[in-house]
Amino acid sequence: MKKFQTLLYYCYSPIADAEQFAADHLKFCKSLNLVGRIIVADEGLNGTVSGSVESCQTYMEAVHADARFAKTEFKIDDVEEPSFIKMHCRYKSEIVHSGLKDTSIINPNERTGKHLEPVEFQKMIDQEDVIILDVRSNYEHNLGKFKNAITLDIENFRDFPEKINELAQYKDKKVLTYCTGGIKCEKASALLLHHGFNDVYQLHGGIIKYGKEAGGEDFEGKCYVFDNRIAVDVNSINPSVVSKCYNCGTVTAKMINCANPECNEHITQCDECGTKLQGCCSDACITNPRRRPYDGTGYYVKVPQPVGISA
């Protein structure tokens, strides 16, 4: 049995004085020796935390004991070591940044797509009147996606609203949305309904839950995760690798961040190119004086940027 766990979760539930809650919650997490990343907003919680089995159990019990978060569903992975190095808990305007000026039109507690359990989703994906919509970013679906899924050219979820018009041709279809853990689909499906899509669904628990409960069938490639594992296996039934090395085109499932912190591009890169380019996406990035040492993983603790340089 592995000694550590990683918990992925979210909960849309109003939090009064969310900024203070974030500060208090950070102290609580540190008291349990947890590491991870939690976003707190007036609309709820979005987090991934990691630590000992005992600490994770205590954390889940504490979250469920709070009436506001009693419905929170945790996706639990047993891991060899904690999936983060530090603990962060920050207040932001949204737990998933939608890019909308008026966020009231997509309140998941009022209206969202019909939740499909993994087995239900699995039964629907091959129906003729169904389209499968990946609402994640480019670097995520480049690494892995459902067979025949429609993907969008977006760098961040806040770009999703601008793509709604491109999807208008599917208004008469059943639209099945999916993402990593379900949180983006809550807002994506709500926005689709707002724009006149009538039959909208979402994969409850996302790709991670689908892998655990439906074997990940027909999910091609790996699933990108936002911790130092970077990518995890999902499909135990008919697995495949669909991603290719950004530099040479060789089939590879390895995802890295460019070693140049001023670039930090998410790319798939084979080990040979990783060694040759020292973990960088290009020759230009190798010469950057702030280039981080490449240890073969392609994962780096976030480095503060000098004033005037964007990450």
Side-chain angles (χ1 to χ4, degrees):
M1 181 177 177
K2 295 177 181 177
K3 296 181 179 180
F4 301 98
Q5 291 181 330
T6 295
L7 312 177
L8 174 67
Y9 70 96
Y10 70 88
C11 184
Y12 284 100
S13 182
I15 302 175
D17 197 3
E19 200 162 356
Q20 182 60 50
F21 178 90
D24 294 340
H25 201 65
L26 175 61
K27 293 178 182 177
F28 173 63
C29 291
K30 287 185 173 181
S31 75
L32 296 176
N33 293 316
L34 292 173
V35 290
R37 185 182 299 115
I38 301 172
I39 298 172
V40 178
D42 298 341
E43 65 182 1
L45 297 173
N46 174 17
T48 307
V49 297
S50 191
S52 70
V53 173
E54 295 77 14
S55 291
C56 287
Q57 184 61 39
T58 299
Y59 181 78
M60 289 188 286
E61 290 173 357
V63 170
H64 284 149
D66 189 320
R68 296 170 294 183
F69 316 126
K71 64 182 180 180
T72 303
E73 182 174 303
F74 290 91
K75 273 74 75 175
I76 306 171
D77 279 339
D78 295 319
V79 293
E80 295 289 351
E81 59 185 19
S83 300
F84 294 86
I85 295 174
K86 297 181 179 180
M87 185 69 231
H88 300 281
C89 184
R90 297 188 173 101
Y91 172 79
K92 294 189 177 182
S93 58
E94 297 176 81
I95 54 176
V96 172
H97 187 25
S98 65
L100 295 171
K101 291 182 179 179
D102 181 8
T103 58
S104 65
I105 65 174
I106 53 167
N107 183 345
N109 288 317
E110 295 179 356
R111 191 186 190 201
T112 190
K114 303 165 194 170
H115 287 71
L116 291 175
E117 293 303 320
V119 173
E120 296 174 308
F121 183 90
Q122 188 178 34
K123 290 177 180 177
M124 287 184 67
I125 55 178
D126 289 324
Q127 295 179 11
E128 289 187 6
D129 60 342
V130 163
I131 65 140
I132 309 165
L133 178 61
D134 192 319
V135 303
R136 301 173 302 154
S137 304
N138 290 334
Y139 60 87
E140 296 175 84
H141 60 67
N142 284 342
L143 183 65
K145 63 183 182 65
F146 277 103
K147 180 181 69 176
N148 299 325
I150 293 169
T151 58
L152 301 173
D153 182 14
I154 57 176
E155 292 300 318
N156 297 284
F157 183 69
R158 61 178 174 268
D159 301 325
F160 178 79
E162 299 174 2
K163 298 293 181 177
I164 294 292
N165 289 339
E166 295 180 14
L167 301 171
Q169 59 187 302
Y170 305 116
K171 281 192 174 182
D172 62 342
K173 300 281 189 179
K174 293 176 181 175
V175 181
L176 276 56
T177 66
Y178 73 88
C179 60
T180 307
I183 187 170
K184 293 177 181 177
C185 290
E186 299 280 9
K187 290 191 173 183
S189 62
L191 191 60
L192 289 168
L193 290 167
H194 176 76
H195 283 276
F197 291 76
N198 296 314
D199 215 357
V200 183
Y201 303 79
Q202 58 180 290
L203 174 57
H204 182 214
I207 300 163
I208 300 300
K209 186 176 181 181
Y210 184 83
K212 295 179 183 300
E213 297 186 8
E217 185 174 12
D218 290 332
F219 185 85
E220 301 172 331
K222 290 194 173 191
C223 180
Y224 183 91
V225 289
F226 297 85
D227 57 61
N228 62 9
R229 294 173 296 170
I230 302 177
V232 297
D233 291 317
V234 171
N235 190 333
S236 59
I237 296 176
N238 55 348
S240 61
V241 178
V242 296
S243 50
K244 295 181 180 181
C245 177
Y246 175 85
N247 302 104
C248 72
T250 301
V251 174
T252 181
K254 186 175 182 179
M255 171 73 77
I256 72 160
N257 285 100
C258 178
N260 172 10
E262 293 168 22
C263 171
N264 208 44
E265 186 76 23
H266 296 282
I267 61 168
T268 43
Q269 187 179 69
C270 69
D271 286 328
E272 185 176 345
C273 287
T275 300
K276 178 182 176 182
L277 294 169
Q278 299 177 61
C280 292
C281 67
S282 65
D283 290 328
C285 282
I286 293 178
T287 61
N288 189 286
R290 298 182 65 239
R291 177 175 55 82
R292 298 168 290 200
Y294 179 59
D295 65 0
T297 66
Y299 175 82
Y300 308 96
V301 177
K302 192 169 184 179
V303 178
Q305 296 291 316
V307 176
I309 297 177
S310 58

